[in-house]
Amino acid sequence: MALAIHSASPCLFAPTGSSNTNLFFFRNRSRIILTQKKCRVGVSQHKREISPCSLEPCPQRRIFRRDLALVLLGLSSVSVTFPFSAALAGEELKMASFMDEINAYSYLYPVELPSKKFLFKWVESRKPERYSSAAPLSPDAHLRIVSERVDIIDNLIISVTIGPPNSKFIKSKDKSMWTAKDVADSVLSDKSALRVTSSQRLAESSVLDTHSSEIDGERYWYYEYLVRKSPTRLDQESSIYRHYLSSTAERDGYLYSLSASTLSTQWKKMGPFLEKAVNSFRLVSPTEDYVPPYKDPWRFW
């Protein structure tokens, strides 16, 4: 855990080299936890806002931006409460549309539950970018995050990744032969920042359910899974996992995947809303702004 904290951008933590770095961090962590406890008195009365600049890294630390977001999500799980229950999942939910013309896909994400005056607090932690310049999720750089948004207060992540199929799990070029389990294993085997084998990365995840569906002539594979390894060590309960739902489609020889997740302890409350986001994921007709993943692989801007 110490490595993740000291790797994070100094924009949020004590300056590098300061003799009071640890003291600065723990004082600020205490303020975060205290603020969250105050929020339990009435979320509707005291709305908290997260400035997008809180997730912007200093130029020298850009590679750790996602790690920093996960650290903050771990902190936010200490004492967050929600003003609604799973029974409210069927109530009217306002959703906003997101379109990425660079990579030609779209999806909906929840923004408000009017009946409870509840607002989601999304921050676009990673704006859409071309595959060649996107941040890799594994040392081989096959799977990359092309966009991501987080709700730190409610402990939610929605991200879109692109990567080639893993030949160990998808052996045929005929998409009609692919099963949802094969696609899930292919994506999850590359979804790790650790320098381990693909089988070890796959072992970090536990697939709960898979299925596929054809929509407007395009095949989508859906899978639900748990990630056993916690993104931080701040929460010492080994029973706390991240619960994911994902949808994957194929185009130009690459897998496009949307994943939505929260902590397993919040799944009954947030799961139905994340499911709506995952089910709305679509590949759209490319415009002149579309950049295929295979184009200019050397280009990183």
Side-chain angles (χ1 to χ4, degrees), residues 2 10 34 60 111 127 173 177 187 202-203 226 234 243 258 274:
L34 179 59
Q60 297 88 348
V111 293
K127 294 182 178 181
K173 293 185 178 180
M177 303 294 292
V187 174
L202 186 60
L226 299 176
L234 295 178
H243 198 141
L258 180 143
L274 297 182

Side-chain angles (χ1 to χ4, degrees), residues 1 5 25 29 71 74-75 78 230 232-236:
M1 181 58 211
I5 292 173
F25 169 72
R29 180 186 171 191
V71 168
L75 284 170
V78 176
S230 173
T232 74
R233 293 294 181 186
L234 295 178
D235 193 335
Q236 296 298 324

Side-chain angles (χ1 to χ4, degrees), residues 241-258:
Y241 307 124
R242 286 204 73 82
H243 198 141
Y244 285 79
L245 279 177
S246 293
S247 174
T248 297
E250 186 273 344
R251 181 173 56 202
D252 294 331
Y254 286 77
L255 299 179
Y256 290 65
S257 304
L258 180 143

Side-chain angles (χ1 to χ4, degrees), residues 2-248:
L3 290 176
I5 292 173
H6 291 297
S7 297
S9 166
C11 295
L12 290 181
F13 298 97
T16 303
S18 170
S19 61
N20 295 320
T21 299
N22 293 332
L23 180 58
F24 183 90
F25 169 72
F26 285 109
R27 283 179 177 172
N28 279 275
R29 180 186 171 191
S30 299
R31 293 193 190 103
I32 293 172
I33 296 174
L34 179 59
T35 302
Q36 291 169 338
K37 289 182 177 179
K38 289 180 179 178
C39 287
R40 300 181 66 178
V41 175
V43 175
S44 61
Q45 296 177 1
H46 303 283
K47 295 181 180 178
R48 300 174 60 192
E49 296 182 355
I50 301 298
S51 170
C53 68
S54 65
L55 291 178
E56 287 298 323
C58 290
Q60 297 88 348
R61 305 282 183 167
R62 184 168 183 260
I63 192 172
F64 297 108
R65 175 165 51 181
R66 178 176 171 81
D67 294 335
L68 175 57
L70 291 177
V71 168
L72 292 176
L73 284 169
L75 284 170
S76 70
S77 67
V78 176
S79 59
V80 175
T81 58
F82 298 92
F84 52 85
S85 65
L88 297 175
E91 292 192 12
E92 180 184 0
L93 176 68
K94 288 188 177 181
M95 303 186 76
S97 176
F98 175 78
M99 171 77 75
D100 177 357
E101 294 187 347
I102 297 176
N103 299 292
Y105 65 82
S106 68
Y107 66 86
L108 302 175
Y109 60 95
V111 293
E112 182 182 1
L113 190 64
S115 62
K116 291 297 178 181
K117 298 181 180 179
F118 178 81
L119 296 175
F120 292 82
K121 294 151 285 284
W122 295 107
V123 174
E124 192 173 40
S125 58
R126 190 177 298 279
K127 294 182 178 181
E129 57 185 327
R130 57 190 298 150
Y131 175 77
S132 64
S133 63
L137 271 172
S138 58
D140 56 23
H142 288 166
L143 190 67
R144 304 185 183 188
I145 309 172
V146 295
S147 73
E148 185 173 68
R149 66 182 63 247
V150 301
D151 181 336
I152 296 177
I153 304 302
D154 306 318
N155 214 309
L156 309 173
I157 302 176
I158 296 178
S159 61
V160 177
T161 61
I162 298 176
N166 189 317
S167 59
K168 292 182 179 180
F169 305 98
I170 298 181
K171 304 181 184 300
S172 172
K173 293 185 178 180
D174 183 359
K175 291 193 292 185
S176 64
M177 303 294 292
W178 299 357
T179 67
K181 183 61 165 58
D182 291 338
V183 173
D185 287 345
S186 174
V187 174
L188 296 179
S189 66
D190 286 331
K191 196 172 183 180
S192 174
L194 302 177
R195 292 187 174 278
V196 294
T197 65
S198 59
S199 60
Q200 287 174 316
R201 294 180 198 135
L202 186 60
E204 296 175 12
S205 306
S206 177
V207 178
L208 304 177
D209 183 51
T210 64
H211 67 280
S212 63
S213 180
E214 187 170 315
I215 303 173
D216 297 330
E218 188 72 54
R219 175 66 59 180
Y220 291 83
W221 296 273
Y222 300 90
Y223 40 103
E224 180 180 358
Y225 61 99
L226 299 176
V227 172
R228 294 190 177 101
K229 290 192 174 182
S230 173
T232 74
R233 293 294 181 186
L234 295 178
D235 193 335
Q236 296 298 324
E237 295 185 41
S238 59
S239 61
I240 304 298
Y241 307 124
R242 286 204 73 82
H243 198 141
Y244 285 79
L245 279 177
S246 293
S247 174
T248 297

